[in-house]
């Protein structure tokens, strides 16, 4: 058996964590041979709930789970962790945009960036789930200058999974038959879900999604809007934001970062922009990436339509505005933000 790795989940008493902890502790992310020490970080008012979560994890009798460390102290929560799921943050309610959470949540990610910087392993892989996820990841990284910025990411995998599921249903094939659907930009209603590079297997033959769907107005209209507004639709129905699907997407994201992507296949992650595809530099922008040896690389050289370019420009502008707002909330002169 391998040496155990330490993995922190913040917001460990919350609803996403309730699904996520089980999947991580079962070996669905880091592998069925990788023992895990789970650090559960939440805030003092949630200590009682956290105790219940610890009891349930014990009662799951999971062979890979060698220790559980519940805490409200970031110094303990982030100590020596190799992977961090940053879930803990306020969720939006009906009628809000995710960026309305910025002033409440961005400060959490300043504190957690500072704690990661001091206490985590330098090769820690950080996935920000708490909204607004892209800008929170940017802030977190800025306060953790000793950790490479490539190690910070924001979750748009839920959007990718939603988009893939919509296409599979439209074409009438299983989910596993659809690949390379891209989410560009922000995890917000300006994101651009792009099926233009997608591939689908129909009756054993690989086709482009564009040919298989054969309905440009759907791919530029209802498909895009459904994915952009899916989070709000779940909130309207459940009166709470998505949790099971968010936890699954967090596992998918970290799994692929840890284990790599198959040749010719790519996934979407919010990562530091280098200006590829005319995106604004130095914001966390969702791109298609390929992953090898735990390093992601933006897929370059894709041809974008004028429609796609205009959508990327809208979501890039929003990310730039969120970054400016984060700076004003933090009243910060952090040189690398
Ligand atoms: P929740 O309210 O059920 O749980 C959040 C937990 O975080 C609570 O237990 C709270 O006490 C804890 N918390 C708050 N501040 C903290 C801090 N400083 N340190 C540690 N823990 C802290 O919320 P949820 O439904 O689990 O959602 C969590 C976040 O994830 C929200 O911001 C939500 O909008 C976001 N989200 C993102 C995606 C995505 O695709 N990126 C998907 C779904 C939800
Ligand atoms: C989602 O996409 O479901 C989450 O970001 C929650 C939300 O506020 O929409």
């Amino acid at each position: 058996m391998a040496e155990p790795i330490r993995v922190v989940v913040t917001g460990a008493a919350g609803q996403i964590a309730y699904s996520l902890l089980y999947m991580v502790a079962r070996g669905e992310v880091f592998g069925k041979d990788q023992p895990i020490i789970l650090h559960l970080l939440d805030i003092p008012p949630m200590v009682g709930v956290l105790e219940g979560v610890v009891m349930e994890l014990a009662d799951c009798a999971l062979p890979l789970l060698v220790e559980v460390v519940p805490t409200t102290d970031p110094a303990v929560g982030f100590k020596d962790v190799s992977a961090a799921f940053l879930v803990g943050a306020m969720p939006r309610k009906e009628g809000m945009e995710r960026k309305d959470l910025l002033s409440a949540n961005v400060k959490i990610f300043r504190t957690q960036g500072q704690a990661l910087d001091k206490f985590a392993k330098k090769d820690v892989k950080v996935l920000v789930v708490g909204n607004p996820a892209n800008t929170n990841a940017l802030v977190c990284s800025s306060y953790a200058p000793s950790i490479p910025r490539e190690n910070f990411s924001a979750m748009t995998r839920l959007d990718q999974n939603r988009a893939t599921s919509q296409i599979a249903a439209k074409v009438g094939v299983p989910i596993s038959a659809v690949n390379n659907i891209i989410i560009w930009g922000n995890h917000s209603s300006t994101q651009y879900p792009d099926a233009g590079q997608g591939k689908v297997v129909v009756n054993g033959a690989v086709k482009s999604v564009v040919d298989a769907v054969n309905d440009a107005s759907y791919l530029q209209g209802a498909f895009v809007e459904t994915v952009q507004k899916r989070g709000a639709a779940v909130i309207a129905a459940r009166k709470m934001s998505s949790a099971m699907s968010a936890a699954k997407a967090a596992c998918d994201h970290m799994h692929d970062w840890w284990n790599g992507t198959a040749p010719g296949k790519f996934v979407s992650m919010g990562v530091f922009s280098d200006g590829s595809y005319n995106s604004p530099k130095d914001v966390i922008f969702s791109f298609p990436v390929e992953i090898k040896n735990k390093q992601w690389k933006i897929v370059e050289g894709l041809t974008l339509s004028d429609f796609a370019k205009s959508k990327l420009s809208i979501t890039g502008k929003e990310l730039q505005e969120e970054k400016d707002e984060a700076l004003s909330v933090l009243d910060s002169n952090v040189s690398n933000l």
Side-chain angles (χ1 to χ4, degrees):
M1 262 298 190
E3 279 293 299
I5 55 166
R6 292 179 183 271
V7 176
V8 64
V9 175
T10 74
Q15 52 150 5
I16 294 176
Y18 195 70
S19 296
L20 176 61
L21 290 167
Y22 174 67
M23 293 187 224
V24 172
R26 255 177 71 95
E28 289 177 18
V29 177
F30 303 101
K32 300 284 181 194
D33 297 322
Q34 178 58 66
I36 301 229
I37 299 171
L38 262 183
H39 291 204
L40 313 186
L41 182 67
D42 213 292
I43 51 175
M46 300 305 283
V47 162
V49 178
L50 210 50
E51 277 169 15
V53 174
V54 173
M55 284 187 233
E56 284 209 71
L57 280 168
D59 298 348
C60 285
L62 295 159
L64 291 173
L65 188 58
V66 295
E67 193 183 342
V68 178
V69 182
T71 183
T72 58
D73 180 356
V76 176
F78 290 106
K79 180 77 182 148
D80 290 337
V81 294
S82 297
F85 293 87
L86 304 189
V87 180
M90 193 193 286
R92 68 174 164 155
K93 303 266 176 344
E94 214 169 339
M96 291 169 82
E97 285 294 329
R98 296 179 186 91
K99 64 184 167 197
D100 298 334
L101 299 168
L102 202 142
S103 60
N105 285 346
V106 91
K107 292 178 189 152
I108 296 175
F109 291 87
R110 170 173 59 189
T111 309
Q112 296 191 346
Q114 289 163 335
L116 279 160
D117 197 49
K118 274 199 203 146
F119 303 112
K121 290 195 162 204
K122 295 302 169 201
D123 62 353
V124 61
K125 304 281 177 271
V126 182
L127 166 58
V128 176
V129 174
N131 280 317
N134 299 53
T135 300
N136 288 337
L138 178 73
V139 167
C140 195
S141 162
S142 305
Y143 285 93
S146 70
I147 296 171
R149 58 192 215 158
E150 294 74 29
N151 294 20
F152 290 82
S153 65
M155 188 163 99
T156 53
R157 185 59 170 263
L158 177 53
D159 309 292
Q160 179 192 314
N161 288 349
R162 288 167 171 162
T164 304
S165 172
Q166 293 295 318
I167 295 293
K170 182 82 178 169
V171 181
V173 293
I175 288 280
S176 56
V178 182
N179 281 299
N180 293 5
I181 306 294
I182 301 170
I183 304 299
W184 299 96
N186 199 3
H187 174 63
S188 77
S189 53
T190 68
Q191 67 177 266
Y192 176 47
D194 178 9
Q197 316 290 336
K199 301 263 182 273
V200 57
V201 182
V202 187
N203 299 327
V206 180
K207 284 182 152 188
S208 74
V209 168
V210 172
D211 287 346
V213 170
N214 194 23
D215 182 350
S217 66
Y218 166 76
L219 289 177
Q220 292 192 354
F223 165 68
V224 172
E225 270 178 40
T226 301
V227 179
Q228 285 177 332
K229 296 185 180 155
R230 188 66 157 194
V234 171
I235 292 170
R238 260 173 44 89
K239 311 297 171 212
M240 284 190 293
S241 65
S242 62
M244 175 173 51
S245 56
K248 159 68 166 52
C251 290
D252 289 346
H253 177 123
M254 192 63 89
H255 173 275
D256 289 350
W257 201 356
W258 206 260
N259 298 290
T261 49
K265 298 203 175 149
F266 45 76
V267 292
S268 293
M269 280 169 69
V271 294
F272 263 95
S273 168
D274 61 355
S276 292
Y277 298 100
N278 277 331
S279 57
K281 267 190 168 179
D282 299 330
V283 297
I284 300 276
F285 194 95
S286 179
F287 289 104
V289 299
E290 290 165 323
I291 304 166
K292 220 174 156 183
N293 301 326
K294 298 193 172 67
Q295 309 288 326
W296 54 263
K297 193 170 153 300
I298 296 171
V299 177
E300 300 290 356
L302 301 175
T303 305
L304 300 188
S305 64
D306 287 344
F307 177 79
K309 285 180 193 162
S310 71
K311 293 289 185 193
L312 262 67
S313 158
I314 293 168
T315 195
K317 190 162 168 285
E318 183 184 49
L319 281 167
Q320 192 65 55
E321 286 165 6
E322 280 188 22
K323 176 177 174 175
D324 294 343
E325 195 184 331
L327 274 170
S328 69
V329 170
L330 296 168
D331 193 21
S332 162
N333 290 317
V334 178
S335 57
N336 50 351
L337 184 67

